[in-house]
Amino acid sequence: MRGLTGVCLAALLTAGAVTATVLGGAREGTDTIGHRAAPQVVRSADLYFALNDMDAQAANLLLFGADPDFAVARGQTLDTYERSRARADTDLQRVAEAVVGDPAGQRAVQTVIGELGRYEGRVARAQLLEEQAKAPAGKPSAEALAAYREATDLLRQRLLPAVDEVTTANSATVERIYGAQRAISVRGGGGSW
């Protein structure tokens, strides 16, 4: 009888250890997804939104021109542009932290950093040309409009696709961790995740 009790006790301890290991691994995967990977997917989506908002505000600035009747609206629009720029910078910093160790994500972040600088330079040039032209509201100068078109084309063709690549890399991390933890859970007898 003692032998049977010992075998049962050993089996229970082994089952407990296996369960603790499986649950510990699942908890680690859940922590990685919940605290690192999934929030980075959201941050890269936020970055995408902030960049689009910057572009919309840059277009609005051109529409206001140098017309003194729109000085207050121009100032508010410039403030909104700067807030969106600051939000994009913060989101980009956090996204960059998340892709450490992910070569595809790091390349995409490097592209975003480089293209964002080029974009901001073109927007600044468009604003400067508009101020120098003293164009009326709704009639931006041809030079300012051309500079803005270069900026928005850069945003659409290079910057936003690079942000999409970062989002894809972060999403792939979430999927990879979820799949690995699910496989561990199923193999370990932990049932469905």
Side-chain angles (χ1 to χ4, degrees):
M1 188 65 145
R2 283 186 184 191
L4 185 56
T5 303
V7 169
C8 286
L9 184 57
L12 280 174
L13 289 175
T14 302
V18 168
T19 300
T21 301
V22 168
L23 291 178
R27 182 178 21 248
E28 182 180 318
T30 302
D31 285 345
T32 300
I33 290 171
H35 294 117
R36 183 178 159 263
Q40 295 313 324
V41 172
V42 172
R43 288 211 198 293
S44 56
D46 288 346
L47 174 59
Y48 195 93
F49 174 78
L51 294 171
N52 274 300
D53 191 47
M54 287 171 59
D55 197 53
Q57 300 311 318
N60 288 338
L61 287 169
L62 281 181
L63 291 175
F64 291 135
D67 193 325
D69 292 339
F70 293 99
V72 171
R74 184 175 172 75
Q76 291 170 339
T77 301
L78 190 54
D79 288 345
T80 302
Y81 175 87
E82 290 300 324
R83 281 193 303 275
S84 293
R85 189 176 65 77
R87 190 170 60 245
D89 289 346
T90 299
D91 290 335
L92 183 54
Q93 283 178 331
R94 291 189 177 139
V95 166
E97 293 166 2
V99 296
V100 170
D102 176 7
Q106 288 174 329
R107 278 190 304 277
V109 166
Q110 287 297 327
T111 299
V112 171
I113 291 169
E115 298 302 331
L116 181 56
R118 290 178 57 210
Y119 171 79
E120 288 181 25
R122 285 185 169 88
V123 167
R125 179 169 162 64
Q127 290 175 358
L128 177 64
L129 290 169
E130 184 67 6
E131 289 170 9
Q132 290 173 343
K134 299 193 185 317
K139 298 184 183 199
S141 71
E143 295 83 11
L145 191 55
Y148 170 72
R149 283 186 180 141
E150 287 178 19
T152 199
D153 288 348
L154 178 68
L155 179 86
R156 304 274 177 247
Q157 295 168 6
R158 304 253 325 162
L159 190 51
L160 293 179
V163 174
D164 283 339
E165 289 177 31
V166 173
T167 303
T168 299
N170 285 327
S171 295
T173 299
V174 170
E175 290 296 323
R176 187 179 69 249
I177 292 168
Y178 175 78
Q181 292 306 315
R182 174 130 172 83
I184 289 169
S185 177
V186 169
R187 272 195 318 256
S192 63
W193 208 49

